[in-house]
């Protein structure tokens, strides 16, 4: 790698290193930009690693957020529909050049607010309403929130991933006040509680609060996916080290699969430009690839991206070194 990154011999070299244990920074730091969970502000070449959750495919996102869902498929379908609706709405709030809302799917890398989705589903799953007199549960004015000592309703905070609090069900014959559950629950209380915890802890900030790529509640972001690819591949240094040592092991495979797909898409769609994979190939160095590139081709790192219903080899424009 020292030879390939020698700017005198290869002035246009581009190398991405997937560093699972944070071992390459010291050896290659003089010719590399390093992206890590906790960068050292004293080192100008260290930057915060951001991998926006909305760039994951739908199935990857489900694995790292909601986890296991009921086998009947109802919850999965509802969540898929709501994610697609949220992505279409975010395109209205912040259009993306060349992206048509009629052609996107839940897999499309379009920003949306996971916090808002979580809050909406939490209300649906845990919510109660004042049901006396044939009240309409879809009218939020009927929802039976608990109140704080000052009498304010505890409606929660989607942005901060603070859940709302609802009053208990009450159906006493002598009491005119009736409180019932909101209808049509999805039986995903456990996954919602787990996701809420992940949204609040710093360990998942690289993914769920990805800096300038983290969406506001309306889905708008400060930076785009093109900015992310440009940050990784557009610097003046020949090597980019993605230090994955701080990533929870349970999501490493999906994160690596996503990184590879983002890199591939950037190279493929820019193939006719000087920055694309045809004019300037990319070398991807995968440390300990055996741990995430399974022999049966079913692991996240081996999955092939699907573009317009067709499959293309993931590393068609990149060299892969297994160590």
């Amino acid at each position: 790698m020292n030879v390939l990154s020698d700017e005198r011999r290869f002035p246009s070299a581009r190398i991405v290193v997937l560093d699972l244990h944070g071992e390459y920074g010291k050896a290659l730091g003089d010719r590399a930009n390093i992206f890590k969970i906790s960068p050292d502000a004293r080192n100008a070449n260290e930057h915060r690693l951001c991998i926006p959750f909305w760039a994951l495919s739908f199935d990857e996102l489900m694995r790292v957020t909601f986890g296991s869902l009921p086998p009947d498929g109802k919850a999965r379908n509802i969540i898929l529909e709501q994610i697609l609706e949220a992505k279409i709405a975010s395109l209205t709030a912040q259009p993306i050049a060349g992206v048509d809302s009629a052609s996107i799917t839940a897999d499309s890398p379009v920003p949306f607010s996971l916090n808002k989705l979580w809050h909406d589903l939490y209300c649906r799953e845990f919510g109660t309403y004042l049901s006396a007199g044939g009240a309409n549960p879809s009218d939020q004015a009927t929802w039976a929130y608990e109140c704080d000592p000052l009498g304010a309703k505890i409606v929660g905070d989607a942005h901060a991933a603070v859940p709302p609090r609802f009053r208990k069900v009450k159906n006493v014959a002598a009491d005119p006040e009736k409180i019932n559950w909101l209808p049509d629950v999805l039986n995903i209380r456990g996954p919602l509680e787990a996701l809420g915890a992940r949204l609040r802890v710093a360990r998942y900030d690289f993914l769920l609060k990805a800096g300038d790529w983290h969406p506001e509640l309306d889905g708008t972001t400060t930076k785009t996916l093109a900015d992310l690819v440009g940050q990784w591949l557009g610097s003046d240094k020949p090597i980019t080290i993605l230090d994955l040592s701080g990533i929870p092991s349970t999501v490493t495979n999906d994160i690596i699969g996503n990184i590879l797909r983002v890199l591939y898409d950037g190279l493929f769609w820019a193939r006719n430009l000087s920055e694309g994979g045809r004019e300037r190939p990319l070398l991807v160095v995968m440390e300990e690839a055996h741990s995430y590139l399974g022999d049966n081709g079913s692991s996240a790192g081996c999955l092939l991206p699907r573009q317009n219903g067709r499959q293309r080899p993931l590393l068609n424009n990149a060299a892969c070194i297994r160590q």
Side-chain angles (χ1 to χ4, degrees):
M1 208 163 359
N2 284 325
V3 173
L4 292 175
S5 61
D6 186 339
E7 296 184 16
R8 294 169 299 179
R9 300 181 62 180
F10 302 102
S12 298
R14 287 195 300 188
I15 303 170
V16 171
V17 180
L18 303 185
D19 185 0
L20 266 64
H21 303 296
E23 299 171 333
Y24 285 80
K26 290 184 179 180
L28 303 170
D30 61 330
R31 60 186 68 186
N33 276 315
I34 305 168
F35 295 87
K36 58 197 305 185
I37 300 293
S38 300
D40 188 337
R42 296 171 297 179
N43 299 328
N45 67 332
E46 291 192 13
H47 314 276
R48 182 186 171 194
L49 177 66
C50 293
I51 304 173
F53 67 84
W54 47 265
L56 273 66
S57 70
F58 176 75
D59 287 331
E60 289 168 348
L61 182 62
M62 290 301 97
R63 285 195 294 269
V64 303
T65 55
F66 290 92
S68 179
L69 294 173
D72 62 7
K74 177 182 176 181
R76 183 183 187 279
N77 291 336
I78 293 294
I79 294 172
L80 185 148
E81 291 172 2
Q82 291 194 215
I83 287 177
L84 179 56
E85 290 173 2
K87 290 188 174 187
I88 291 173
S90 79
L91 281 178
T92 301
Q94 187 179 48
I96 300 174
V99 179
D100 180 5
S101 61
S103 63
I104 69 170
T105 70
D107 290 324
S108 301
V110 174
F112 75 98
S113 175
L114 182 64
N115 289 61
K116 185 177 185 302
L117 173 67
W118 166 81
H119 187 270
D120 291 346
L121 290 171
Y122 193 99
C123 289
R124 175 174 181 163
E125 198 71 9
F126 291 86
T128 58
Y129 75 108
L130 301 169
S131 57
N136 182 4
S138 63
D139 181 1
Q140 293 188 21
T142 69
W143 289 8
Y145 290 107
E146 289 187 13
C147 294
D148 64 18
L150 298 178
K153 295 179 179 179
I154 305 176
V155 299
D157 184 341
H159 185 77
V162 175
R165 286 168 54 184
F166 292 93
R167 297 173 62 185
K168 295 180 179 180
V169 169
K170 181 171 64 173
N171 192 12
V172 180
D175 191 339
E177 183 180 66
K178 309 295 183 184
I179 301 177
N180 281 320
W181 295 110
L182 290 175
D184 202 23
V185 298
L186 301 176
N187 297 316
I188 55 172
R189 287 193 170 195
L192 284 170
E193 295 279 20
L195 175 55
R198 288 187 174 185
L199 290 171
R200 291 188 292 270
V201 300
R203 192 181 185 197
Y204 288 88
D205 280 359
F206 77 96
L207 179 70
L208 304 181
K209 294 180 184 176
D212 290 333
W213 291 271
H214 181 62
E216 299 294 335
L217 295 183
D218 63 356
T220 59
T221 59
T222 303
K223 292 186 177 179
T224 67
L225 199 59
D227 294 317
L228 182 65
V229 175
Q231 187 185 58
W232 289 351
L233 301 183
S235 76
D236 58 349
K237 294 184 181 295
I239 300 176
T240 295
I241 298 174
L242 301 182
D243 184 342
L244 309 180
S245 59
I247 292 179
S249 59
T250 55
V251 302
T252 298
N253 279 9
D254 286 313
I255 294 303
I256 289 175
N258 178 248
I259 289 171
L260 294 176
R261 186 168 51 253
V262 168
L263 292 173
Y264 167 82
D265 284 346
L267 293 173
F268 178 83
W269 293 110
R271 62 192 181 278
N272 295 323
L273 303 176
S274 60
E275 300 88 348
R278 179 176 294 167
E279 298 294 328
R280 194 180 173 197
L282 173 69
L283 170 66
V284 180
V285 180
M286 301 181 183
E287 181 198 15
E288 296 191 13
H290 61 274
S291 65
Y292 51 86
L293 294 181
D295 293 335
N296 60 6
S298 62
S299 63
C302 286
L303 296 180
L304 303 177
R306 296 180 181 271
Q307 306 282 357
N308 300 323
R310 294 178 295 169
Q311 291 186 345
R312 297 190 179 96
L314 182 60
L315 298 177
N316 186 48
N317 293 302
C320 173
I321 297 178
R322 296 195 182 199
Q323 294 192 343

